[in-house]
Amino acid sequence: MTAPDASEAHAEREQAVTDKVLGSFADTPDARHRELFEALVRHAHAFVRETRLTEAEWEAAIGFLTRCGHITDDRRQEFILLSDVLGLSMQTITVNEPDEPRATEQTVFGPFFAEGAPEIEVGGDAAQGAAGQPCWVSGTVTDVDGTPVAGAEIDVWEADDDGMYDVQHGDGRVTGRARLRSADDGRYSFWCVTPTPYPIPHDGPVGDLLTAAGRSPMRASHLHFMVTAPGMHRLVTHIFVRGDDHQDSDAVFGVKDSLVVDFVEHPAGETAPDGSTPDVAWSQADFDIVLAPEETA
Ligand code: BEZ
Ligand code: FE
């Protein structure tokens, strides 16, 4: 038998490292842990081998992750941002989405949900003083057969027209968020502000990554929803404003066609569905929400 050539021998040494590391996880007691550890090793080793990663690049990557750690605190989560811009958050959501084509599609949760939002009645004010154009949002919550879901808990949150969530202002304000419950006929409605585009936090290592890739930090204009009801799969989603320029380049890959909604413009002085007559121009969006049953999760 002839000796392997240099590159063949090199490949064998590389594979031997991978096999040895895989072997170290063979006795992992929890089967799911073992599956995850082994797949991580297989894919990470394949990445290093495929890209012929240099030691300088490996060090740069460790430096990048260290910077992600240093900038992360109770209010800033750079690792989730990293997951978001690499599409890992959207892929995890897609893998876990109920296999129910009639249900409203899911999208990213994002870092700006906050517990303790003001509770409002149907037709109430979710803007809570956020700056922006008034916007009336309404729809019906149903199950996949079209039966209204009464009492569904609906959380909504959004940035103001400076592109800032209340928590980013750092002054304790609670604006642009609320919780309400669907009525007996499944209907819901509220006032908020017309969503506008805004950048994800990009003054840290994830922003540097986007710059290096020539990518935009902008998110397409959206309003967040989280909807829960007994026996139903939790829905985390947004509605996006049709016509927004950032839909094809949303920094976190969150846009889905089914979630793009018309925000119809109305002039000042036109009477709104709740009988009020705003003295400024306002917009209106309809969004029916279809919840999947829990067991399709
Ligand atoms: C957001 O929608 O608020 C968001 C989502 C992902 C990363 C940053 C912000
Ligand atoms: Fe958002």
Side-chain angles (χ1 to χ4, degrees):
M1 196 174 124
T2 54
D5 63 26
S7 58
E8 233 179 276
H10 211 283
E12 278 174 18
R13 281 205 301 278
E14 291 169 10
Q15 189 58 46
V17 174
T18 304
D19 291 344
K20 197 164 183 179
V21 180
L22 285 174
S24 77
F25 289 106
D27 295 331
T28 303
D30 182 278
R32 179 62 173 160
H33 281 166
R34 178 178 169 184
E35 182 182 8
L36 295 173
F37 295 152
E38 289 182 348
L40 177 63
V41 169
R42 272 198 316 276
H43 289 277
H45 282 230
F47 171 82
V48 172
R49 294 176 69 185
E50 179 193 314
T51 61
R52 310 312 297 166
L53 192 74
T54 68
E55 291 183 40
E57 288 164 343
W58 180 86
E59 265 178 47
I62 296 295
F64 175 84
L65 291 174
T66 304
R67 288 198 301 285
C68 288
H70 285 164
I71 204 171
T72 294
D73 60 20
D74 288 350
R75 291 179 34 183
R76 172 79 176 253
Q77 228 307 351
E78 199 74 357
F79 292 101
I80 294 184
L81 271 189
L82 179 60
S83 162
D84 292 339
V85 303
L86 294 178
L88 292 174
S89 307
M90 265 319 276
Q91 190 63 285
T92 306
I93 289 160
T94 305
V95 163
N96 289 286
E97 202 160 29
D99 193 12
E100 173 46 86
R102 293 171 295 179
T104 301
E105 289 190 279
Q106 310 252 354
T107 188
V108 285
F109 193 62
F112 297 122
F113 174 77
E115 293 292 349
E119 302 209 0
I120 60 170
E121 300 294 318
V122 171
D125 179 26
Q128 298 282 322
Q133 182 195 47
C135 174
W136 175 261
V137 179
S138 61
T140 304
V141 184
T142 67
D143 67 13
V144 291
D145 297 318
T147 306
V149 177
E153 199 167 81
I154 305 171
D155 275 290
V156 292
W157 65 105
E158 64 174 338
D160 60 25
D161 71 357
D162 286 330
M164 304 268 280
Y165 284 82
D166 53 1
V167 290
Q168 293 178 290
H169 285 283
D171 56 7
R173 73 180 74 177
V174 179
T175 59
R177 66 180 73 243
R179 173 173 289 178
L180 66 157
R181 285 180 181 276
S182 56
D184 288 347
D185 57 358
R187 298 284 303 163
Y188 75 90
S189 56
F190 55 88
W191 284 102
C192 60
V193 296
T194 309
T196 52
Y198 66 87
I200 65 167
H202 60 110
D203 56 345
V206 169
D208 296 343
L209 182 153
L210 292 177
T211 304
R215 278 177 50 186
S216 162
M218 295 302 287
R219 290 228 56 205
S221 314
H222 62 273
L223 168 69
H224 291 257
F225 279 81
M226 176 163 68
V227 186
T228 55
M232 299 292 174
H233 193 84
R234 182 180 82 155
L235 174 70
V236 173
T237 197
H238 310 345
I239 52 175
F240 294 92
V241 180
R242 195 181 308 287
D244 182 289
D245 287 342
H246 303 282
Q247 265 156 20
D248 291 335
S249 58
D250 183 55
V252 302
F253 308 98
V255 181
K256 292 180 171 175
D257 287 349
S258 68
L259 302 176
V260 178
V261 168
D262 290 317
F263 280 68
V264 179
E265 291 288 331
H266 296 274
E270 193 172 307
T271 302
D274 65 347
S276 68
T277 308
D279 56 8
V280 293
W282 54 283
S283 69
Q284 180 177 9
D286 290 328
F287 179 52
D288 290 333
I289 294 168
V290 182
L291 300 177
E294 212 152 41
E295 62 269 21
T296 55

